[in-house]
Amino acid sequence: MKRDETEPVWVEFSADTSGASDLTWGQEQVCLWMENSAPYTEHMNLDVLIGCEPETGTTLDDVREALRVVIERHESLRTRLNVEKDGTYRQFVCASGRVPVHVHHCAAREASAAVLEELRRLPFTVFEWPLRVAVVTVSGVVSGVALCLSHVATDGWGIEVVAGDIRELLAATPEERDALSARPPRPLLQPREHAAAQRRAGGRSEARGEAFWTAQLSRFPNDRFPLPLRTPESPRFPKITMLSRTAARALAEAAARHGTTANAVLTGALAVLISSISELEDATFRLFCANRTSAESRNSVGTFFQTVPVSVTVADLPFRDIAHAAWQASLRAYRVGERDPRRFDRLTESVASARGVDLDLECFLNIHGYGSQAYGETLRADEAADEPTAFRDDGGIEEWEPGKFYVDVWRVSGCFEATLSADTALFSRDRLTGFLTCLEEILLRAAAGDAPRPKDLVRDAAALAGLRRREDLVLVDGCWVDPAEVEALLTQALSPRSAQVFLGPGTTGRPCLTAYLVSGQPQRPLSPPEAHRLLLAALPGRRFVMAPHRYVVCVAGPDAPATEEEWRRYDVLAEGTGRESPTPHHPERTRT
């Protein structure tokens, strides 16, 4: 066979377990995300490259045997999905089958990276196994094993479990490999067991989770960045990574100074950054919770993570208070991290209806960590203290949800490593680099002072210079709102004969919106609940709108724009909020 040619081989497996089950809630969440992103789902693929040194003499048969053991050990890797008639999913674990492996006979070891990229760039289909494998050989010796997994099969932690298992098997003697093949060396939790355990959880647990979600979502805005749109760059969502030993040292020093953890300091610093960009007192984001709380879960391949809404008040508080609030909010989120995502979607709709907005849920914080790999590195004394901060362009994503602001933190000690992906329809690629630099500055100032305030932490930040909020926006209920856009929405969604929106103090003294309108169908005037329902349906895709807090449907109205006092002179057919409070939770009615 010539060099740089590809040879297909197979890994045949035969396990003792099989069967069908519901999906875990983490799998359900990934499937829902894929539905929303289809057909652009390749960015959710997970990949890892296992390097093999030439002196180990790893053969193709060694790799195939290791793959067989790992596939038989972890049910996720031999599972297929099926969509039921009602739109729900079921997973089917297969006892036997064979997985294709593409063997690339190459002239150079450097080919492994390109092979991995080839595996990663295509979305998975329901017709293939959730595991793609390629092996690169140089002069007949394996130099690399490239793995790509569907996010339905596992999360980032789980793919490292797969890679660790394969490395362990490749390094084992034949006798050790036989023992590892006969019995898993560590306790495991398979997805079918996990899904069954989740559905046995009681109603009180669901009530706690829903209470936390409701409280957090009540502070999420309609659009967190009050900026005009710009022409997006390509890719629209670049991925910029910062590597900083300076930030790692500052994190450790700030955690010691403020009496909390490095993760709490980091979350607090990101809250300060997000609050400064958005000009909102609350920083809101969805926090990734690993949900691997037992030894069995930490040893297993599966999709355990879920995202939980978190709100941290920044305002003008001392950083110590912000960091401790971030720690408390994160801890509460971790405690309710495993929840039915479809219930969460319904709860989100309920809160959005009560607040009259389409909630902006596109800000994410994902602090990674597999075993001690992400957190165990420490800075050695002989390493240069003045090593400069570096930035890396990691490509990007062309198709994603508008307004996305996504922070991945890979390491917090030794050398801080974080990736920011954000929508260039809002921010230039250069400004994303500036945001990461600003984060480093926040950490440095938090480490240097006992009670710095947010304005001190971001003073003179070049990344924030030139960010100009749209002048026509006003702050209502923690949301940036353009009253003119609300009035236009009212006209387009309700088709009234005339309509006008006024901003004024509500019964509590806080700003609220009141809509006066003359129904387009006098014989059947709109009721406030009906008007509110129609407006809610028209909200998606509009940035700075909010359904009015109160509707006043009049018999007639002024011919031209007028004052609120003039509208009040006309007879009223119906008036009211149209809004409903979030549906109260009744534990005894919870389906378990």
Side-chain angles (χ1 to χ4, degrees):
M1 181 172 289
K2 297 180 180 180
R3 286 182 172 182
D4 298 324
E5 291 191 354
T6 302
E7 173 189 6
V9 299
W10 300 88
V11 173
E12 297 189 1
F13 64 87
S14 180
D16 296 330
T17 59
S18 63
S21 80
D22 295 321
L23 272 61
T24 67
W25 287 333
Q27 290 174 308
E28 286 271 10
Q29 180 170 271
V30 169
C31 286
L32 292 174
W33 283 353
M34 287 185 169
E35 287 177 3
N36 293 334
S37 300
Y40 306 102
T41 60
E42 64 275 10
H43 65 276
M44 300 188 72
N45 294 349
L46 300 169
D47 58 81
V48 66
L49 182 62
I50 303 170
C52 301
E53 296 301 325
E55 57 269 20
T56 63
T58 303
T59 68
L60 179 58
D61 286 341
D62 292 334
V63 174
R64 293 171 68 186
E65 177 62 14
L67 288 168
R68 179 192 67 78
V69 173
V70 171
I71 292 169
E72 292 177 356
R73 178 183 297 173
H74 299 289
E75 291 186 357
S76 286
L77 306 181
R78 46 189 174 90
T79 295
R80 296 185 188 275
L81 295 188
N82 189 51
V83 182
E84 304 293 284
K85 290 182 178 179
D86 61 358
T88 60
Y89 295 90
R90 295 278 286 173
Q91 57 183 326
F92 295 85
V93 178
C94 300
S96 61
R98 60 179 192 166
V99 174
V101 176
H102 299 281
V103 183
H104 297 257
H105 300 279
C106 302
R109 291 172 56 84
E110 293 74 16
S112 296
V115 169
L116 182 65
E117 173 62 21
E118 185 178 340
L119 291 182
R120 189 198 61 78
R121 67 187 179 190
L122 292 176
F124 276 88
T125 70
V126 296
F127 305 106
E128 62 181 313
W129 296 108
L131 169 68
R132 295 180 186 145
V133 187
V135 175
V136 176
T137 69
V138 177
S139 301
V141 177
V142 174
S143 66
V145 181
L147 302 175
C148 180
L149 273 70
S150 166
H151 215 336
V152 180
T154 193
D155 49 29
W157 184 299
I159 197 168
E160 292 295 342
V161 172
V162 173
D165 283 1
I166 291 175
R167 291 188 183 101
E168 182 180 46
L169 287 159
L170 291 178
T173 64
E175 295 75 15
E176 292 171 334
R177 193 173 299 169
D178 289 341
L180 290 170
S181 175
R183 181 185 297 273
R186 291 166 287 274
L188 301 176
L189 177 62
Q190 303 290 5
R192 290 186 299 156
E193 301 171 79
H194 190 197
Q198 287 176 327
R199 284 156 178 78
R200 289 195 297 268
R204 293 183 183 277
S205 175
E206 289 293 343
R208 286 193 299 271
E210 293 184 9
F212 179 81
W213 273 333
T214 300
Q216 304 306 299
L217 289 173
S218 67
R219 296 156 71 183
F220 270 61
N222 54 345
D223 193 299
R224 118 181 342 94
F225 301 121
L227 307 169
L229 295 178
R230 56 191 300 276
T231 301
E233 302 173 27
S234 184
R236 178 167 173 172
F237 305 90
K239 299 170 68 175
I240 307 298
T241 298
M242 178 176 74
L243 299 100
S244 170
R245 295 197 181 278
T246 299
R249 284 191 295 271
L251 262 174
E253 292 167 7
R257 176 181 288 275
H258 299 294
T260 186
T261 66
N263 280 8
V265 169
L266 173 61
T267 305
L270 283 165
V272 170
L273 176 62
I274 293 168
S275 174
S276 299
I277 301 170
S278 66
E279 297 186 46
L280 296 173
E281 291 191 344
D282 293 328
T284 55
F285 49 88
R286 283 200 276 178
L287 181 68
F288 280 77
C289 298
N291 297 324
R292 292 178 179 264
T293 56
S294 65
E296 290 82 1
S297 63
R298 290 190 289 272
N299 298 331
S300 301
V301 178
T303 304
F304 287 77
F305 84 96
Q306 289 186 258
T307 61
V308 179
V310 169
S311 175
V312 178
T313 298
V314 175
D316 190 37
L317 295 174
F319 184 74
R320 175 186 291 266
D321 293 351
I322 296 169
H324 281 266
W327 177 80
Q328 292 172 354
S330 299
L331 186 60
R332 294 191 187 103
Y334 297 145
R335 287 174 175 168
V336 300
E338 286 193 285
R339 293 294 179 268
D340 183 346
R342 295 181 187 273
R343 290 175 69 104
F344 171 70
D345 286 347
R346 292 192 293 270
L347 182 63
T348 303
E349 292 174 3
S350 177
V351 174
S353 175
R355 297 188 59 209
V357 295
D358 183 28
L359 299 176
D360 180 358
L361 301 173
E362 295 306 325
C363 186
F364 294 85
L365 171 57
N366 191 1
I367 304 177
H368 297 260
Y370 172 67
S372 60
Q373 293 180 8
Y375 301 99
E377 182 187 353
T378 56
L379 186 64
R380 299 192 305 270
D382 60 346
E383 290 177 323
D386 59 350
E387 183 177 342
T389 297
F391 295 90
R392 186 179 70 225
D393 187 334
D394 288 332
I397 299 169
E398 196 64 60
E399 299 286 343
W400 220 358
E401 288 81 5
K404 184 78 75 176
F405 194 90
Y406 197 113
V407 181
D408 279 304
V409 179
W410 309 101
R411 289 185 293 176
V412 298
S413 63
C415 181
F416 178 77
E417 183 177 358
T419 302
L420 172 60
S421 300
D423 192 350
T424 55
L426 293 169
F427 312 109
S428 69
R429 177 187 295 264
D430 290 341
R431 200 174 287 276
L432 300 189
T433 302
F435 288 155
L436 290 170
T437 300
C438 184
L439 175 62
E440 183 182 59
E441 293 170 358
I442 292 170
L443 293 172
L444 283 167
R445 289 168 178 169
D450 287 330
R453 304 276 174 165
K455 290 182 180 179
D456 298 322
L457 294 170
V458 299
R459 69 176 185 272
D460 304 325
L464 302 181
L467 285 177
R468 294 288 181 264
R469 169 165 46 92
R470 278 180 39 177
E471 295 181 355
D472 48 0
L473 301 180
V474 294
L475 195 58
V476 181
D477 189 25
C479 298
W480 290 112
V481 175
D482 179 355
E485 286 190 27
V486 176
E487 198 165 290
L489 174 67
L490 199 72
T491 299
Q492 294 168 14
L494 305 183
S495 300
R497 284 190 289 167
S498 59
Q500 200 167 351
V501 175
F502 296 94
L503 176 67
T507 56
T508 62
R510 301 174 64 182
C512 71
L513 297 169
T514 300
Y516 288 82
L517 58 97
V518 178
S519 179
Q521 298 180 341
Q523 67 278 13
R524 187 185 174 277
L526 284 170
S527 67
E530 185 179 8
H532 188 67
R533 178 179 57 79
L534 291 171
L535 283 179
L536 287 178
L539 286 178
R542 301 172 184 265
R543 297 182 63 203
F544 302 118
V545 293
M546 171 182 284
H549 296 80
R550 190 167 187 81
Y551 302 85
V552 182
V553 183
C554 300
V555 174
D559 293 332
T563 65
E564 190 169 2
E565 287 72 19
E566 290 177 287
W567 273 95
R568 288 175 179 164
R569 296 172 186 166
Y570 291 87
D571 292 337
V572 173
L573 292 174
E575 63 178 311
T577 68
R579 303 187 181 205
E580 298 179 0
S581 299
T583 304
H585 179 82
H586 301 285
E588 67 275 9
R589 299 180 189 173
T590 301
R591 181 178 61 84
T592 59

